[in-house]
Amino acid sequence: MQTGKRAAHASNYGFSLIEVLVALAIVASILTIAAPKYFTSVEKAKEAVLKENLYIMRDAIDKFRADQGQYPNVLADLVTKKYLRTIPPDPFTDSPNSWIIVPPSNASAGAVQDVKSSAPNQARDGTWYKDW
């Protein structure tokens, strides 16, 4: 009789292999649905940050030109003259030093007319980040 009670208690101590496999299958199917949406939303957020950072820097460059009569010589001039608090980082390269500087056609008017991203990727809409 003791062995019968012991056998009945033994089944309450853990999960069977089938129960574990069913639980793992449920978790795996939830992840296959959620993971692509997560990575898409991360890319979408980085694109929004890139657009905003480009807008802010281009606006600061235009204000610098209007006030000073020429474009800045380096991006750091925007910080030293208080047009920006810091140079924002490119969200795809995670560096504020990776911006591509576009000089003006007239070299005597400064050195930074525009900035572009150095990210080698293509955006979700098919355009290249470097062309934004």
Side-chain angles (χ1 to χ4, degrees), residues 67-84:
D67 291 345
Q68 307 293 325
Q70 69 175 16
Y71 292 109
N73 291 320
V74 291
L75 284 177
D77 289 347
L78 297 173
V79 176
T80 57
K81 300 273 185 171
K82 307 278 188 217
Y83 287 91
L84 292 174

Side-chain angles (χ1 to χ4, degrees), residues 4-127:
K5 285 184 178 180
R6 189 177 298 168
H9 278 350
S11 66
N12 292 334
Y13 288 143
F15 296 105
S16 70
L17 179 62
I18 299 296
E19 291 171 330
V20 171
L21 288 177
V22 168
L24 287 176
I26 291 170
V27 169
S29 37
I30 290 172
L31 284 176
T32 57
I33 294 169
K37 290 184 180 185
Y38 169 75
F39 290 114
T40 301
S41 66
V42 168
E43 285 294 313
K44 189 176 180 181
K46 283 185 176 184
E47 287 181 6
V49 169
L50 176 61
K51 284 181 183 179
E52 183 67 19
N53 287 352
L54 286 171
Y55 175 80
I56 288 169
M57 287 199 305
R58 288 171 176 161
D59 185 51
I61 290 169
D62 291 341
K63 288 177 180 174
F64 186 97
R65 166 100 163 112
D67 291 345
Q68 307 293 325
Q70 69 175 16
Y71 292 109
N73 291 320
V74 291
L75 284 177
D77 289 347
L78 297 173
V79 176
T80 57
K81 300 273 185 171
K82 307 278 188 217
Y83 287 91
L84 292 174
R85 288 186 184 190
T86 60
I87 303 297
D90 184 330
F92 290 99
T93 61
D94 290 327
S95 172
N97 302 321
S98 65
W99 296 108
I100 296 174
I101 306 297
V102 179
S105 56
N106 182 2
S108 66
V112 181
Q113 180 181 4
D114 196 7
V115 289
K116 293 186 180 270
S117 175
S118 64
N121 309 358
Q122 202 171 14
R124 293 178 308 122
D125 64 359
T127 60

